[in-house]
Amino acid sequence: MKNPLLSTLLFFLFIGFAFGQDSCSKFYPLKEGSTFQYTNYDKKGKSDGTVNYTVSDVRSEGSASVATFDMKLTDKKGKEIFETNYSFSCEDGLVKIDYQSLFPSQMMQQYSEMGLEMDISGTDIELPNNLSEGQELNDANVTVSMSMSGINMNVSVDQTNRKVEKKESVTTSAGTFNCYLITEDNTTKTMGATIEMKSKLWLAEGVGMIKQESYKSNGNLISRSELSAYNE
């Protein structure tokens, strides 16, 4: 994918989906100072870099709980690519993510100076506190509309056929966890092209995402991400 802005948008949209839950208390307990590291792997199983998260701030705003995550992305050689922070609020069993805050401010300033206008909309992803095998979950989507120098571009990501397949034990370098396996279809539409993928997400109560795998529509593995270290 040669468009650097588009690549960054898609990366952060999927990251945002991984952390946007219907209730942040059961799967993602918010505690200042907690850290999580994920190692990314390519289709051949070779390390492709890491993503480090730190819960830097948890506060109350009215009846909502708001958490700020600091995020740092490094490549496979350990070189820092960029760092940013984003926040989400949890109120009445619903989490809302500030998707625009996901993108590095320096990058956004650069594109803003070039005349880029961006609008982000969509349907929040939902995950009930009580999961069970065979349970079907609501669809979700996000659309990013961009305009620059009279050129318009829309990127939409739809998550459909979301389902809790089963409970199973998953082991990574961070330990062994009892997880819920959630499967879904992902459809990305942009610049006249449609990209269809399937994904698997393993979630553990009290920790969050343990592992995630992405597949082409034909079932071939594209990449995976695993929890490699955490400290609550």
Side-chain angles (χ1 to χ4, degrees):
M1 191 175 294
K2 297 182 179 180
N3 187 319
L5 176 59
L6 179 57
S7 300
T8 304
L9 285 172
L10 294 179
F11 172 82
F12 280 114
L13 289 178
F14 284 115
I15 289 293
F17 282 146
F19 279 86
Q21 308 301 334
D22 184 45
S23 174
C24 53
S25 61
K26 189 169 184 178
F27 288 96
Y28 296 101
L30 302 182
K31 181 180 179 182
E32 288 187 12
S34 295
T35 60
F36 303 85
Q37 180 188 74
Y38 293 90
T39 300
N40 300 322
Y41 299 90
D42 62 19
K43 62 182 180 181
K44 295 181 179 180
K46 295 182 179 180
S47 176
D48 199 27
T50 61
V51 185
N52 289 277
Y53 297 89
T54 299
V55 181
S56 59
D57 181 61
V58 179
R59 61 193 182 277
S60 296
E61 294 184 1
S63 58
S65 295
V66 180
T68 298
F69 281 83
D70 293 341
M71 182 177 67
K72 181 183 296 184
L73 176 66
T74 59
D75 64 17
K76 58 185 177 182
K77 295 182 179 180
K79 181 181 178 180
E80 182 180 321
I81 299 176
F82 55 74
E83 58 181 320
T84 186
N85 59 66
Y86 68 98
S87 61
F88 65 76
S89 61
C90 188
E91 183 176 14
D92 296 330
L94 178 66
V95 162
K96 294 182 179 180
I97 300 175
D98 180 4
Y99 283 105
Q100 196 153 351
S101 74
L102 287 169
F103 308 113
S105 57
Q106 291 182 345
M107 184 195 76
M108 294 309 300
Q109 181 178 356
Q110 176 185 354
Y111 282 104
S112 178
E113 292 173 351
M114 295 170 59
L116 173 71
E117 297 181 359
M118 180 185 297
D119 180 67
I120 302 175
S121 60
T123 304
D124 292 330
I125 189 171
E126 296 182 359
L127 185 74
N129 260 335
N130 298 316
L131 298 180
S132 59
E133 294 184 17
Q135 183 177 0
E136 295 183 357
L137 305 176
N138 291 339
D139 295 343
N141 77 286
V142 62
T143 298
V144 180
S145 300
M146 293 168 283
S147 176
M148 184 169 62
S149 302
I151 300 176
N152 299 319
M153 182 175 71
N154 294 328
V155 180
S156 66
V157 180
D158 292 301
Q159 292 176 279
T160 59
N161 300 320
R162 301 177 62 231
K163 183 178 179 180
V164 181
E165 293 289 343
K166 58 183 177 180
K167 288 193 70 175
E168 63 180 7
S169 178
V170 174
T171 299
T172 72
S173 58
T176 299
F177 307 88
N178 292 319
C179 298
Y180 290 96
L181 168 59
I182 298 176
T183 59
E184 63 182 45
D185 296 331
N186 303 121
T187 302
T188 301
K189 296 181 179 180
T190 180
M191 300 174 65
T194 298
I195 304 171
E196 296 184 347
M197 298 188 300
K198 295 181 180 295
S199 69
K200 295 181 179 180
L201 175 66
W202 286 264
L203 291 173
E205 293 184 13
V207 182
M209 189 182 86
I210 303 302
K211 184 168 71 170
Q212 185 176 36
E213 295 179 343
S214 297
Y215 298 83
K216 293 182 179 179
S217 56
N218 62 8
N220 291 337
L221 179 68
I222 300 173
S223 63
R224 82 175 193 274
S225 180
E226 292 184 357
L227 180 69
S228 46
Y230 76 104
N231 181 33
E232 294 183 278

